[in-house]
């Protein structure tokens, strides 16, 4: 059974930093690209960042570029999101996600339950 | 950037058919994927590549895509189908999600 378990969320002041982690199990981690998708309270889904199977290629939404950094450790079956210079608009539930890409299209096969990040003074 | 537009809400009686649209410029040229999200839960993939269903998703869920509109159809709606539904495409190396539709079962 595929399991994605996020941790590291919390309350942080504007301008502060957090590091999110995602522990993956139930599949061969380094066979898949991974993503972070967030959902602000009572709002829709927003893709944040993605990374390919070996960490050699990453992508970011314009809203987080230069402030958030995605990485992975295949030896530990773990995905990370380093969050710096946080803003109030970064407040959201952050989901770890396993993607599947084929024929020029990608979608999210599995989602974690998420970890809540609150940016507030 | 690419924009996907969904109606905010759809209401349907049990046993009837719900149709949720997802509008985008020439969306018929892209693969569209659909997710169901119940309150307090993570999203679940219900349709991928316009009309395919993952294992475990009932045949009541189907999809189509043509022109400027993709559609998720839920046949014989049940109370347990009440949820938010999101369409999604892959565009310019990023995920684009629709605005979301809340399906209410009357």
């Amino acid at each position: 059974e595929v399991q994605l378990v996020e941790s590291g969320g919390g309350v942080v002041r504007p301008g502060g930093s957090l590091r999110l982690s995602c522990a993956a199990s139930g599949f061969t981690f380094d066979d898949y690209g991974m993503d972070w998708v967030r959902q602000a309270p009572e709002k829709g889904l927003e893709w944040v960042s993605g990374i390919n199977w070996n960490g050699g290629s990453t992508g970011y939404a314009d809203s987080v570029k230069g402030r958030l950094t995605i990485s992975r450790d295949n030896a530990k079956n773990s995905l990370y999101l380093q969050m710096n210079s946080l803003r109030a608009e970064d407040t959201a539930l952050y989901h770890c996600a396993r993607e599947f890409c084929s024929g020029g299209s990608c979608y999210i096969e599995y989602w974690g339950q998420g970890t809540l990040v609150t940016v507030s003074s | 950037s690419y924009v996907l537009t969904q109606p905010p809400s759809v209401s349907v009686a049990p046993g009837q058919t719900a149709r949720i649209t997802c509008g985008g410029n020439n969306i018929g040229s892209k693969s569209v994927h659909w997710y169901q999200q119940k309150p307090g839960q993570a999203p679940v993939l219900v349709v991928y590549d316009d009309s395919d269903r993952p294992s475990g998703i009932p045949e009541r869920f189907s999809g189509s895509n043509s022109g400027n509109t993709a559609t998720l159809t839920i046949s014989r709606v049940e109370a347990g189908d009440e949820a938010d539904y999101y369409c999604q495409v892959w565009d310019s190396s990023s995920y684009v999600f629709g605005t979301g539709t809340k399906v209410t079962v009357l």
Side-chain angles (χ1 to χ4, degrees), chain A residues 6-10 12 16-22 36 68-73 76 78-84 86 94 115-117:
Chain A
E6 304 91 339
S7 61
V12 61
S17 298
L18 275 179
R19 189 191 194 212
L20 306 185
S21 298
C22 170
W36 289 97
L68 275 56
T69 303
I70 191 171
S71 62
R72 65 190 295 161
D73 184 338
K76 296 183 177 179
S78 293
L79 178 72
Y80 306 101
L81 187 66
Q82 178 65 44
M83 310 175 74
N84 298 331
L86 283 164
Y94 284 74
T115 186
L116 183 62
V117 172

Side-chain angles (χ1 to χ4, degrees), chain B:
Chain B
S1 60
Y2 196 76
V3 176
L4 295 174
T5 303
Q6 300 180 233
S9 62
V10 168
S11 297
V12 58
Q16 300 303 302
T17 298
R19 294 180 178 85
I20 305 162
T21 58
C22 175
N25 184 35
N26 197 27
I27 195 173
S29 67
K30 300 179 180 296
S31 292
V32 179
H33 320 289
W34 292 90
Y35 305 90
Q36 175 194 69
Q37 186 178 32
K38 297 182 180 180
Q41 298 185 20
V44 171
L45 180 70
V46 292
V47 166
Y48 65 96
D49 291 346
D50 295 341
S51 59
D52 291 333
R53 280 185 312 278
S55 61
I57 300 301
E59 292 182 7
R60 300 184 300 104
F61 289 83
S62 62
S64 62
N65 184 20
S66 179
N68 293 316
T69 305
T71 303
L72 175 70
T73 301
I74 311 173
S75 304
R76 301 180 300 282
V77 166
E78 302 174 356
D81 298 331
E82 190 161 281
D84 294 326
Y85 291 83
Y86 296 90
C87 57
Q88 175 253 309
V89 300
W90 176 253
D91 181 79
S92 300
S93 299
S94 67
Y95 289 84
V96 179
F97 290 96
T99 48
T101 298
K102 182 175 182 59
V103 170
T104 299
V105 181
L106 301 172

